[in-house]
Amino acid sequence: MNFEVIIGLEVHCELTTQSKMFSASPVTFGQAPNTKVNEVDLGMTGTMPVLNKTGVEYAVRVCHALNMEIDELLRFDRKNYYYSDLPKGFQITQDRFPIGRNGTMEIEVDGKKKTIEIERLHMEEDTAKQLHFDDHTLIDYNRSGIPLIEIVTKPNIRSGKEAAAYLEKLRSIFLYTKVSDAKMEEGSMRCDVNVSIRPFGSDKFGTRTEIKNLNSISNVQKAIEFEVSRQEKILLQGGKVLQETRRYDEGLKETVLMRSKGDAVDYKYYPEPNILPIRLDHQWVLDIKEALPEMPEERIKRYVEKYQLPKNDAKILVATKEISDYYDEAIRYTKEYKLVCNWLLGETMAYLNKSNTTIEAIKMIPKCLAEMVNCVVDETISSKQAKKVFDLMMETGKDPETIIEENHMKQISSVDEIRKIVCDVLDKNPQSIEDYKNGKDRAVGFLVGQIMKVTGGQANPGITNKVLIEELKSR
């Protein structure tokens, strides 16, 4: 029996506003526990929430990027439950009236395009962070109240690959719209996965399991693929899939049970009494859309159509916004679009990986990379010399012209000058001329080596070879 996989994703994203969603406490990461909180975050009696306008703006940015219908009447609700990480005993969220509905995102997997439908985007506040030990749990309230958006897809994702492609693109949207750093390893982007399977042709959903605590996009794909396989085995053996919450164990490379789930919890939502409905100014919403930066898909199109880059190269460039921004800055100073791309995706990426650093932290500025490429194209330096110039730019931050002058690397490209040097070398090596006339091609290599020795490697290789052959044939 063949099964159809049904997947829905729920993604939480922390917004990088300066202050929290309903209080003036700063949004931070990695600070000393319980040092970035105030009375509102701790749910003290008599405190009142005040809505963060920038948090709303960031949510609207993402709604626009996901082609969503935006509800311009903001309404908040209370989600009532008590956990130790929720000091008020309720969470301020949006239940029936999310700010965004009916979005779409186009992804590409194995060369095939697919539209992922997005059900809703709503705003809420984050909970505190729990630190579990063998015999006790500690709570850090610094995270309590940080602005969150939650984005829920419709169940039309059909594989782990599709889920990974969706998350990669969603993460790039967060980065390009500058609403979040979207670091899954730090919890600023979190994903819950709902997975079920059903026989092909059936219109009835199977029993779904929820997978939590996934800390990377690759683990999302691995968890889905294992869970699909697990559920298939159960059904093929005549068993029944149970409604459960599971987590992915990286060591075991499988999902393991956290807890069984019964019917949906009744959170007894009701309108938040301390935040009255707020009507957003229509022009303000439109202005946010107009101010959005160029999105990854638009950049890919520009790179391919305007700069003639291979599509795969363009995709790699835009995968990291900072790399793409660096490229855009560099090509302001050169027309050699493909060469700049090659240096970025080749030597520069290798340097970043080897040094375990980021493009923002390197000493070589985009203009210098472009100028070095220009030096190669106009034959001021050779491709071999360019690698040395590149290393020195990374090491010192100096511009290529200074490095070339300091290291006496400027190529000799004057035909007349090179011809004079070639003639001097030939005059001193008559045996090599005889060897060449006798068909010994290695004589050419020897003579080129002698010329490079005389010029300190600065003779233009192409011109040198051409002039050398001309002179050899004339003797």
Side-chain angles (χ1 to χ4, degrees), residues 113-130:
K113 293 183 178 180
K114 177 176 180 175
T115 298
I116 303 299
E117 297 176 73
I118 301 169
E119 183 176 303
R120 60 185 281 145
L121 180 154
H122 65 262
M123 297 178 287
E124 60 190 21
E125 58 182 337
D126 209 345
T127 58
K129 183 177 180 180
Q130 298 188 94

Side-chain angles (χ1 to χ4, degrees), residues 43-77:
M44 293 186 175
T45 304
T47 56
M48 296 285 282
V50 177
L51 180 61
N52 186 330
K53 182 179 178 181
T54 303
V56 178
E57 178 190 338
Y58 284 10
V60 172
R61 283 187 199 178
V62 179
C63 285
H64 283 311
L66 294 174
N67 310 301
M68 305 191 88
E69 301 167 9
I70 296 174
D71 189 342
E72 294 182 358
L73 181 62
L74 283 188
R75 286 160 282 190
F76 287 90
D77 301 287

Side-chain angles (χ1 to χ4, degrees), residues 208-227:
R208 65 184 172 89
T209 58
E210 183 179 29
I211 310 172
K212 285 186 170 290
N213 300 338
L214 295 161
N215 61 3
S216 73
I217 293 174
S218 63
N219 278 349
V220 169
Q221 181 174 340
K222 292 172 186 175
I224 289 172
E225 290 170 351
F226 175 84
E227 184 60 20

Side-chain angles (χ1 to χ4, degrees), residues 166-176 181-185 189 217 319:
Y166 167 81
L167 291 172
E168 288 282 6
K169 192 163 181 180
L170 186 61
R171 183 176 182 275
S172 73
I173 286 173
F174 294 152
L175 294 173
Y176 275 77
D181 59 21
K183 295 179 179 178
M184 291 190 76
E185 69 277 11
M189 177 176 166
I217 293 174

Side-chain angles (χ1 to χ4, degrees), residues 57-217:
E57 178 190 338
Y58 284 10
V60 172
R61 283 187 199 178
V62 179
C63 285
H64 283 311
L66 294 174
N67 310 301
M68 305 191 88
E69 301 167 9
I70 296 174
D71 189 342
E72 294 182 358
L73 181 62
L74 283 188
R75 286 160 282 190
F76 287 90
D77 301 287
R78 282 192 181 184
K79 181 179 182 181
N80 294 278
Y81 66 100
Y82 179 77
Y83 285 160
S84 55
D85 59 2
L86 194 68
K88 294 193 297 285
F90 62 86
Q91 181 186 39
I92 302 177
T93 182
Q94 292 183 302
D95 177 32
R96 291 179 299 158
F97 304 104
I99 190 169
R101 290 184 187 272
N102 301 324
T104 57
M105 178 200 289
E106 186 177 78
I107 62 170
E108 185 173 328
V109 176
D110 297 331
K112 295 180 180 178
K113 293 183 178 180
K114 177 176 180 175
T115 298
I116 303 299
E117 297 176 73
I118 301 169
E119 183 176 303
R120 60 185 281 145
L121 180 154
H122 65 262
M123 297 178 287
E124 60 190 21
E125 58 182 337
D126 209 345
T127 58
K129 183 177 180 180
Q130 298 188 94
L131 305 169
H132 299 292
F133 299 90
D134 289 341
D135 57 352
H136 65 284
T137 294
L138 299 179
I139 303 176
D140 179 5
Y141 287 104
N142 284 351
R143 197 177 73 178
S144 180
I146 287 180
L148 278 181
I149 53 174
E150 181 175 357
I151 300 169
V152 182
T153 70
K154 293 183 179 179
N156 68 334
I157 297 173
R158 293 292 178 265
S159 70
K161 274 189 176 182
E162 288 185 7
Y166 167 81
L167 291 172
E168 288 282 6
K169 192 163 181 180
L170 186 61
R171 183 176 182 275
S172 73
I173 286 173
F174 294 152
L175 294 173
Y176 275 77
T177 54
K178 298 181 179 179
V179 303
S180 176
D181 59 21
K183 295 179 179 178
M184 291 190 76
E185 69 277 11
E186 293 182 3
S188 55
M189 177 176 166
R190 312 195 285 272
C191 180
D192 295 337
V193 180
N194 294 298
V195 183
S196 67
I197 61 175
R198 65 185 179 190
F200 270 106
S202 173
D203 57 2
K204 182 180 179 181
F205 288 123
T207 303
R208 65 184 172 89
T209 58
E210 183 179 29
I211 310 172
K212 285 186 170 290
N213 300 338
L214 295 161
N215 61 3
S216 73
I217 293 174

Side-chain angles (χ1 to χ4, degrees), residues 345-389:
L345 300 185
E347 281 77 1
T348 306
M349 293 293 284
Y351 178 89
L352 297 181
N353 292 332
K354 183 179 179 180
S355 306
N356 193 27
T357 188
T358 63
I359 193 77
E360 307 100 302
I362 64 175
K363 293 181 179 180
M364 180 184 72
I365 63 174
K367 182 180 179 182
C368 287
L369 176 61
E371 289 176 345
M372 185 202 73
V373 167
N374 290 337
C375 287
V376 175
V377 174
D378 66 20
E379 299 186 335
T380 300
I381 57 174
S382 66
S383 297
K384 185 176 180 180
Q385 288 173 316
K387 292 182 179 179
K388 183 177 180 181
V389 173

